[in-house]
């Protein structure tokens, strides 16, 4: 049984991403497109277009050819959009790196993505330089003035009047995701994918030009990149950026800029519901809080909505879906639901064991088909084939059901992925790392429920006999190699890792034992 979207289809133009994004830039002219929340530094729509064209001109002049990759390692600042769309305008590929990453993690992505150039900001220059050693990165550029570094402005050239024509099925962005299994992989999203998903999201979310959005969710991740930056810009709204989350500053920005829609992840919803500070700020312009990337309970959505006097709704999707497959249109709030299937999108709910479709209200694996489904994983045909069926269905690895009113409820995860505060933690990466420790003979990592973070990474480790290593020692070893959110927060020693006959780790068994 194929569930069609209950929403009217939207038109998806055959357009280069940047031509679509900046279609109204001339008209919008001096209107602020992006504002750095803390400082007020502003890029107008006209300024954005000019800078994007100048960057593309500079890149082309340097021999940066269609299909070449530039990496960006930066927190949310207005210039992020210039880098992103300047590269896209030149026909290139942007790979977005998590600025929380360690040198090892950055290095891996630079190599895997085949990045030629790297753009960063002063505070990350040192780690960027170290990480770029031994990769194909030819030069590093720093946004703003920094002594001893090539400024980003050096990349600007004669503005390119027209976008470099590329196949609309060419990759334009390469974010990283572990998907349903294994380690991080480059997710190839095309011009067509991104244009489609912006059109689909705007069609259902009714984002208006007179809106002010807050962009605290990071642009390197598909949620911030598409739902905030790209939907906001295409809608002609003003996007106020925040480089890092700080509750007081977050609330202050809502008040000062009159934020109308707040896109967040569940941990921020918790703060909005519970923290005493919230009452000290004027949030009266707020029309909607939109949560995605991890589960949000019905109770929390209702509680937060009551306190703020607006709806707290959800969207659902995956990096591999550009990312939106489900969202809540204005006036269709249903507590606990992630919304309805996006326009131009189909869904099936499939029994993971038999492959048969299940009935309405019954749980199964969520499968999605539509123009937002990725082209595939970079250089990984096996993972692509395991994720997308021959007839174009993307297996999400999530378990859920649809009710009689077309609302989707996500109830569990079939895949390995752990989500710490909405950030991806691939267990396979931590297991591989644990196995490099001399005292470890085998290891399994699972997510355990946690009130504040949603889930925490927990490790079950088999020690080499007589090694004498402590849990603290091994946790500290992992902490030295991975970003903060991937740290192991609980570690137990076990005699043997439970495995299936084929050698697959029985994660559910470990989880069940821990939760009791
Ligand atoms: P990735 N409820 C439960 N789980 C969710 C939800 C949700 N609302 N949204 C995402 N997930 C989980 O690639 C789910 O397991 O993209 C899914 O497979 O980092 C995984 O997160 C994907 O993680 C929006 C706004 C989607 C945000 C997003 C999130 C994209 C996260 C649509 O409108």
């Amino acid at each position: 049984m194929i569930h069609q979207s209950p929403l009217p289809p939207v038109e998806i133009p055959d357009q280069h991403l940047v031509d679509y994004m900046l279609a109204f830039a001339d008209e919008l002219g001096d209107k602020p497109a992006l504002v750095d929340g803390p400082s007020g530094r502003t890029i107008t729509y006209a300024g954005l277009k000019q800078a994007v064209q100048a960057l593309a001109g500079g890149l082309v002049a340097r021999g940066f050819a269609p299909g070449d990759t530039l990496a960006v390692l930066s927190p949310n600042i207005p210039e992020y959009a210039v880098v992103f769309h300047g590269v896209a305008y030149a026909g290139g590929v942007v790979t977005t790196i998590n600025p929380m990453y360690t040198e090892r993690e950055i290095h891996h992505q630079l190599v895997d993505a085949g990045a030629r150039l790297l753009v960063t900001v002063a505070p990350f220059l040192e780690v960027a330089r170290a990480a770029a050693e031994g990769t194909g990165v030819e030069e590093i550029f720093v946004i703003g003035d920094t002594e001893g570094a090539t400024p980003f402005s050096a990349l600007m050239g004669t503005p390119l009047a027209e976008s470099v024509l590329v196949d609309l099925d060419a990759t334009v962005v390469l974010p990283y995701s572990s998907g349903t299994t294994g380690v991080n992989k480059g997710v190839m999203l095309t011009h067509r994918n991104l244009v489609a998903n912006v059109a689909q999201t705007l069609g259902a979310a009714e984002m208006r030009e007179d809106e002010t959005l807050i962009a605290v969710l990071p642009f390197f991740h598909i949620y911030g990149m598409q739902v905030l930056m790209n939907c906001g810009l295409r809608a002609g709204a003003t996007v106020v950026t925040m480089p890092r989350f700080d509750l007081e500053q977050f609330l202050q920005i809502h008040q000062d800029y009159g934020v109308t829609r707040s896109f967040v992840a569940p941990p921020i919803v918790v703060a909005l519901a519970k923290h005493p500070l919230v009452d000290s700020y004027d949030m009266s312009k707020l029309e909607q809080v939109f949560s995605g990337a991890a589960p949000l309970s019905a109770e929390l959505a209702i509680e937060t909505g009551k306190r703020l006097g607006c709806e707290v709704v959800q969207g659902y999707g995956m990096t591999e879906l550009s990312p939106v497959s489900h969202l809540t249109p204005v006036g269709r709030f249903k507590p606990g639901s992630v919304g309805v299937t996006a326009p131009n999108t189909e869904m099936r709910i499939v029994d993971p064991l038999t492959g048969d479709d299940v009935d309405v209200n019954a749980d199964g694996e969520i499968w999605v088909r539509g123009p937002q489904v990725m082209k595939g994983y970079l250089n990984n045909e096996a993972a692509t084939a395991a994720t997308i069926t021959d007839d174009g269905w993307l297996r999400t690895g999530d378990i859920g059901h649809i009710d009689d009113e077309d609302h989707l409820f996500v109830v569990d995860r079939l895949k390995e992925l752990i989500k710490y505060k909405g950030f991806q933690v691939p267990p396979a990466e931590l297991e591989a790392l644990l196995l490099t420790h001399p005292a470890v003979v085998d290891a399994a990592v699972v997510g355990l429920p946690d009130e504040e973070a949603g889930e925490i990474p927990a490790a079950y480790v088999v020690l080499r006999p007589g090694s004498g290593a402590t849990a603290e020692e091994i946790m500290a070893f992992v902490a030295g190699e991975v970003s903060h959110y991937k740290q192991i927060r609980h570690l137990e020693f076990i005699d043997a890792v439970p495995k299936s006959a084929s050698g697959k780790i029985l994660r559910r068994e470990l989880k069940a034992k821990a939760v009791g």
Side-chain angles (χ1 to χ4, degrees), residues 176-180 187 197 201 217 221-224 227 263-264 266 290-296 314-328 336-339 396-399 409-415 417 419 422-424 455:
Y176 273 67
S177 164
S178 65
T180 54
V187 178
N197 209 230
T201 305
L217 297 183
H221 181 254
I222 196 73
Y223 183 3
V227 183
F263 289 91
V264 297
F290 187 101
S291 175
L296 181 77
Q314 289 191 74
Y316 160 83
M318 281 169 81
T319 307
E320 290 81 348
L321 291 168
S322 310
V324 184
S325 66
H326 290 77
L327 76 177
T328 310
S337 163
V338 300
T396 64
D398 291 309
I399 300 285
F409 292 78
V410 178
V411 298
D412 199 1
R413 216 178 281 141
L414 192 64
K415 57 188 164 190
L417 180 67
K419 283 230 148 175
F423 290 108
Q424 288 199 8
E455 284 176 301

Side-chain angles (χ1 to χ4, degrees), residues 438-515:
V440 175
V441 269
D442 205 359
V445 173
V446 299
L448 297 185
D450 179 79
E451 186 138 357
E452 197 202 334
E455 284 176 301
I456 52 163
Y460 294 84
V461 169
V462 182
L463 273 188
R464 191 171 298 287
S467 80
T470 65
E472 289 69 35
E473 242 172 86
I474 296 174
M475 283 159 83
F477 163 75
V478 172
E481 299 290 327
V482 300
S483 0
H484 170 80
Y485 67 91
K486 287 187 198 164
Q487 287 179 19
I488 289 173
R489 285 161 207 274
H490 175 85
L491 192 145
E492 273 179 46
F493 295 123
I494 53 175
D495 294 333
V497 172
K499 288 186 185 160
S500 71
S502 61
K504 244 184 122 198
I505 296 173
L506 298 172
R507 293 173 204 281
R508 281 185 183 261
E509 216 165 275
L510 284 170
K511 256 176 126 156
K513 197 157 68 181
V515 180

Side-chain angles (χ1 to χ4, degrees), residues 10 147 160 169 306 324:
V10 294
E147 213 161 307
L160 206 65
D169 294 316
K306 272 199 188 126
V324 184

Side-chain angles (χ1 to χ4, degrees), residues 169-184:
D169 294 316
T171 304
V172 63
V173 68
L174 196 63
Y176 273 67
S177 164
S178 65
T180 54
T181 181
V183 297
N184 261 345

Side-chain angles (χ1 to χ4, degrees), residues 3 294-299 301-302 314-317 325-328 332-341 347-349 358-367 396-413:
H3 303 281
L296 181 77
S297 73
E299 296 73 32
I302 293 167
Q314 289 191 74
Y316 160 83
S325 66
H326 290 77
L327 76 177
T328 310
R332 284 186 83 147
F333 171 58
K334 190 178 255 194
S337 163
V338 300
V340 303
T341 312
M347 178 178 66
R348 287 172 62 190
I349 305 278
V358 301
D359 286 339
V360 167
N361 290 314
D363 286 335
E365 187 182 7
I366 302 161
W367 288 20
T396 64
D398 291 309
I399 300 285
H401 60 264
I402 183 170
D403 72 7
D404 304 318
E405 293 174 324
D406 299 309
H407 277 266
L408 178 68
F409 292 78
V410 178
V411 298
D412 199 1
R413 216 178 281 141

Side-chain angles (χ1 to χ4, degrees), residues 210-295:
D210 64 359
E211 290 203 58
T212 302
L213 315 177
I214 184 157
V216 67
L217 297 183
F219 289 153
F220 81 83
H221 181 254
I222 196 73
Y223 183 3
M225 179 196 302
Q226 276 280 81
V227 183
L228 279 158
M229 179 170 74
N230 288 344
C231 285
L233 293 176
R234 167 69 191 194
T238 295
V239 179
V240 182
T241 59
M242 268 185 85
R244 67 193 66 81
F245 181 71
D246 170 88
L247 181 63
E248 214 164 335
Q249 194 175 53
F250 178 75
L251 297 169
Q252 187 74 49
I253 288 174
H254 276 79
Q255 176 174 302
D256 292 351
Y257 293 91
V259 170
T260 55
R261 244 193 255 225
S262 200
F263 289 91
V264 297
I268 300 183
V269 182
V270 174
L272 288 173
K274 316 267 183 208
H275 205 287
L277 261 180
V278 177
D279 293 325
S280 319
Y281 291 86
D282 175 10
M283 310 274 280
S284 59
K285 291 271 166 52
L286 197 57
E287 297 169 19
Q288 190 186 62
V289 174
F290 187 101
S291 175

